[in-house]
Amino acid sequence: MDRRTVLRATVAGGAAAFAGSLWSGAALAAPAQPGTGPYGPLGTADGNGIQLPAGFTSRVIARSRQAVPGTSYTWHNAPDGGACFAAGTGWIYVSNSEVTPSGGASAVRFAADGTIVSAYRILSGTNQNCAGGATPWGTWLSCEETSRGFVYETYPQGGTAAVQRPALGRFKHEAAAADPVRQVIYLTEDETDGCFYRFRPTVWGDLSAGTLEVLVAGTATSGPVSWARVPDPDGAPTATRNQVSGAKRFTGGEGCWYADGTCWFTTKGDNRVWAYDVVGQRIDLAYDDSLVTGGTAPLTGVDNITGSRSGDLYVAEDGGNLEINLITPTGVVTPFLRVTGQSSSEITGPAFSPDGSRLYFSSQRGTAGVSAGGITYEVRGPFRS
């Protein structure tokens, strides 16, 4: 069985395995059993209320409305989508703020040993900045999740003003992912009848001009697709999703991640993870909780998504039991971490440090269950490479 087949999951003790491999096409020897994920079962909650596999630890790096440790900068409310960028011998973690008005985005800079060096604002005066995506040239695309929202290109290193990028379309933006080989930016739309887009810049590395296209396909969950130009990326008076006949509808587009010829994206309305094969130009289901048999679906409330050096996908939950779930290249689906005592929150912004040794994420509303209660975490441990 290969990626072109809708993969069915079977559950055993809270872990799940697809009937075939998502990446290599090799069949699994047997359904996954408890503890067969790469890091084993979750332990008891640590002092931060996070359950992690053995060998992993967590720390809080920021709290909404409080100064980031070691700095005088006050962290934003409702931390959402995020990414990491190399910065000299250290790195930077950027995070959106999903509030209206004055959402924007902030950054935390780390030294080589993980010490926090500084924190600062990289985008101001925008609304409902939900997710986004990193570019190969080191900028962060911060997306407004509002009707006819914009994408803003921001500069994690600081010192350069953010730039509005209307050529990427005006719609209810969620996430973005860059494909450096085909030189396109993929975009998700958070509408119940939203679409999946790609932007082809006139010049790669310059997002001021280019062509916005929408994915066109039938109603099937797998098969070949095509792309059609969106006539009016400004989205008025006709919304971008309604301008092209045959544009495929997705129920609430969320996270988006590109790696090795596949663009993965999630849809919250039907709790699915999709795989767009950029070479074969086809879409397939990588995960669908309605196809889980033999137990409870391990992953519900799909949202932000990121990948690791090993090819593992990490999918954050908005709902469910507040986990980041792992999908391995062999099709195992299993919890990697669980946040306890924060049932009114959601997990956002998963991103790995450039060396792959640290995972960052946020609990958007924290223990208080309000946007002012957001908490941003770092997890360290023996991540496989």
Side-chain angles (χ1 to χ4, degrees):
M1 182 179 293
D2 64 18
R3 188 165 54 199
R4 298 182 179 185
T5 305
V6 175
L7 301 173
R8 295 180 177 271
T10 56
V11 175
F18 290 114
S21 170
L22 292 174
W23 282 252
S24 66
L28 295 176
Q33 298 299 317
T36 57
Y39 302 116
L42 301 182
T44 58
D46 64 11
N48 295 319
I50 300 177
Q51 293 180 250
L52 292 161
F56 289 85
T57 59
S58 74
R59 71 164 169 160
V60 173
I61 64 162
R63 294 180 183 270
S64 296
R65 298 196 178 182
Q66 295 184 27
V68 175
T71 79
S72 60
Y73 180 76
T74 301
W75 197 236
H76 54 259
N77 286 352
D80 205 284
C84 282
F85 299 84
T89 58
W91 62 92
I92 295 167
Y93 177 68
V94 300
S95 171
N96 281 344
S97 176
E98 194 185 13
V99 295
T100 298
S102 301
S106 301
V108 179
R109 184 185 291 265
F110 298 86
D113 64 356
T115 302
I116 294 174
V117 175
S118 61
Y120 45 91
R121 175 70 58 160
I122 60 172
L123 177 64
S124 301
T126 57
N127 297 311
Q128 209 72 14
N129 294 80
C130 197
T135 69
W137 50 91
T139 59
W140 165 246
L141 303 181
S142 182
C143 297
E144 287 185 311
E145 190 193 347
T146 60
S147 178
R148 298 185 67 235
F150 287 101
V151 173
Y152 289 83
E153 187 168 15
T154 69
Y155 297 83
Q157 306 285 346
T160 302
V163 181
Q164 192 180 87
R165 297 300 189 192
L168 276 70
R170 297 193 63 184
F171 53 87
K172 201 172 184 180
H173 282 279
E174 182 69 31
D179 173 357
V181 178
R182 277 139 292 271
Q183 300 187 342
V184 300
I185 306 291
Y186 299 101
L187 302 157
T188 56
E189 181 178 25
D190 193 356
E191 298 275 8
T192 56
D193 60 345
C195 292
F196 185 57
Y197 303 87
R198 72 179 183 187
F199 177 71
R200 296 190 295 110
T202 303
V203 177
W204 185 237
D206 179 356
L207 301 181
S208 63
T211 303
L212 181 68
E213 298 174 322
V214 65
L215 185 139
V216 176
T219 59
T221 54
S222 64
V225 301
S226 60
W227 296 88
R229 185 179 68 85
V230 175
D232 179 19
D234 187 60
T238 304
T240 55
R241 66 186 184 280
N242 296 328
Q243 292 180 23
V244 175
S245 176
K248 184 169 179 61
R249 305 296 178 166
F250 296 93
T251 59
E254 289 287 338
C256 193
W257 175 258
Y258 172 84
D260 301 324
T262 301
C263 186
W264 313 91
F265 62 99
T266 62
T267 50
K268 63 185 178 185
D270 47 18
N271 210 56
R272 288 170 167 172
V273 180
W274 299 81
Y276 169 59
D277 179 344
V278 303
V279 178
Q281 294 202 62
R282 58 174 294 121
I283 58 168
D284 294 283
L285 283 178
Y287 175 81
D288 182 348
D289 73 343
S290 69
L291 298 179
V292 172
T293 59
T296 303
L299 171 59
T300 58
V302 299
D303 203 295
N304 291 171
I305 186 171
T306 194
S308 69
R309 288 182 168 187
S310 64
D312 296 325
L313 296 176
Y314 288 74
V315 186
E317 290 186 336
D318 177 359
N321 49 3
L322 228 58
E323 294 175 344
I324 294 180
N325 271 253
L326 182 66
I327 304 179
T328 73
T330 55
V332 173
V333 184
T334 186
F336 170 71
L337 66 78
R338 181 181 301 130
V339 178
T340 64
Q342 302 183 31
S343 59
S344 296
S345 189
E346 64 183 90
I347 303 301
T348 60
F352 280 93
S353 59
D355 67 358
S357 68
R358 304 171 192 239
L359 174 67
Y360 296 91
F361 72 94
S362 294
S363 171
Q364 190 180 79
R365 295 177 290 278
T367 55
V370 295
S371 63
I375 309 171
T376 301
Y377 300 94
E378 175 193 86
V379 170
R380 296 183 66 186
F383 289 103
R384 57 186 188 160
S385 59

